[in-house]
């Protein structure tokens, strides 16, 4: 199985600052079509996860352009610009390159 | 608008089975996979498998073979997951999520296994 490893944020993050969340995969997530099969989700307290980006850097419908995904085949970053109170929660990366689909352990974002 | 409405919380005894549902609305049910995800208290997310309601095809995480069975009823646009031989390790919240991109999620069903 592909192992997804997420970094830790130096919490709390001051409101209005930027935050970068990292994720590493044990195997390249680039498929032969050239796409990188990585999703990012945000789970706010008491809620279901919400899709933020797919194909590593494509924002889901309705997601703020303050969220941007980037990376290589095995190392990925989700950058959140001008952090706001509603961005608080746990962020998960997920690989959809191979079965079984696997998630990172989550990165908690707290705001100051 | 797209909605996935899951059934209510379950309290079940060890060794028993439980069947939870995910009713879809606002889109063509038979055109998207339905995925199921497990989240244990305070823990991360674990992918269980998917079903394609259009033809009933399924794909499971090997870890859940024999534990989870996915079915779908096209007439009611409802996906189901049955969990069998329940133990305390199965106590968790279970989510359904639509399609390859998991763009819509149900609200989750808490299953508690306790005698």
């Amino acid at each position: 199985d592909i192992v997804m490893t997420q970094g830790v944020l130096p919490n709390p993050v001051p409101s209005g600052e930027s935050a970068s969340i990292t994720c590493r995969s044990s195997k390249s997530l680039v498929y032969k079509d050239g796409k990188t099969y990585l999703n990012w989700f945000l789970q706010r307290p008491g809620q279901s996860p919400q899709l933020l980006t797919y194909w590593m850097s494509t924002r889901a419908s309705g997601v703020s352009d303050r969220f941007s995904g980037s990376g290589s085949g095995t190392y990925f970053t989700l950058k959140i610009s001008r952090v706001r109170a509603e961005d608080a929660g746990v962020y998960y990366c997920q690989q959809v390159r191979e079965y079984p689909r696997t998630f990172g352990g989550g990165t908690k974002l707290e705001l100051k | 608008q797209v909605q996935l409405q899951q059934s209510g919380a379950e309290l079940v005894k060890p060794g028993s089975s439980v069947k939870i549902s995910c009713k879809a609305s606002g889109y063509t049910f038979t055109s998207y996979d339905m995925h199921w995800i497990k989240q244990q208290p305070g823990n991360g997310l674990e992918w269980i498998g998917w079903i394609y309601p259009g033809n009933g095809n399924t794909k499971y995480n090997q870890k859940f073979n024999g534990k989870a069975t996915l079915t779908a009823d096209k007439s009611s646009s409802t996906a189901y997951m049955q969990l069998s031989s329940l133990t305390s390790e199965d106590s968790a919240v279970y989510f359904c999520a639509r399609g390859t991109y998991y763009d819509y999620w149900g609200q989750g069903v808490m299953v508690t296994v306790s005698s």
Side-chain angles (χ1 to χ4, degrees):
Chain A
D1 298 0
I2 296 178
V3 177
M4 305 298 290
T5 304
Q6 292 187 231
V8 177
L9 274 178
N11 281 315
V13 177
S15 182
E17 297 289 301
S18 293
S20 290
I21 299 169
T22 62
C23 171
R24 189 184 300 273
S25 61
S26 62
K27 184 176 176 179
S28 175
L29 303 186
V30 181
Y31 190 56
K32 56 187 176 182
D33 61 5
K35 294 188 173 80
T36 302
Y37 284 84
L38 178 97
N39 298 335
W40 282 102
F41 298 91
L42 163 60
Q43 186 174 30
R44 298 184 177 97
Q47 295 188 16
S48 305
Q50 170 197 355
L51 176 69
L52 297 174
T53 66
Y54 58 95
W55 294 342
M56 186 176 71
S57 58
T58 302
R59 270 187 299 276
S61 176
V63 173
S64 169
D65 59 5
R66 296 185 300 105
F67 292 89
S68 61
S70 63
S72 63
T74 59
Y75 188 79
F76 312 98
T77 303
L78 179 71
K79 183 178 178 182
I80 311 166
S81 303
R82 306 180 303 282
V83 167
R84 298 161 61 162
E86 69 221 44
D87 301 334
V90 180
Y91 289 78
Y92 294 96
C93 60
Q94 180 206 24
Q95 68 80 17
V96 291
R97 171 66 179 80
E98 286 186 1
Y99 289 106
R101 309 308 198 203
T102 47
F103 293 86
T107 299
K108 190 171 187 178
L109 172 63
E110 296 175 89
L111 268 73
K112 186 184 291 185
Chain B
Q1 71 281 25
V2 174
Q3 288 190 342
L4 299 178
Q5 183 65 38
Q6 296 189 243
S7 47
E10 300 273 3
L11 173 59
V12 292
K13 294 194 183 309
S16 68
S17 297
V18 68
K19 192 172 186 177
I20 60 180
S21 66
C22 171
K23 183 172 176 57
S25 60
Y27 72 98
T28 302
F29 178 64
T30 51
S31 295
Y32 292 81
D33 308 335
M34 188 70 78
H35 293 246
W36 291 85
I37 298 98
K38 176 181 181 181
Q39 185 168 40
Q40 289 179 295
N43 282 7
L45 303 165
E46 196 169 16
W47 179 78
I48 297 170
W50 59 252
I51 183 167
Y52 184 68
N55 57 16
N57 282 356
T58 55
K59 180 76 173 178
Y60 292 93
N61 183 338
Q62 279 194 328
K63 178 179 177 179
F64 292 91
N65 275 343
K67 171 62 66 177
T69 303
L70 305 181
T71 57
D73 177 4
K74 290 189 278 190
S75 67
S76 63
S77 298
T78 303
Y80 298 92
M81 178 173 67
Q82 178 161 319
L83 299 168
S84 59
S85 303
L86 291 165
T87 72
S88 59
E89 285 302 302
D90 299 315
S91 292
V93 175
Y94 293 89
F95 295 99
C96 58
R98 186 185 82 155
T100 306
Y101 305 108
Y102 304 75
D103 54 355
Y104 291 91
W105 291 61
Q107 81 276 22
V109 176
M110 180 170 291
V111 174
T112 304
V113 183
S114 174
S115 55

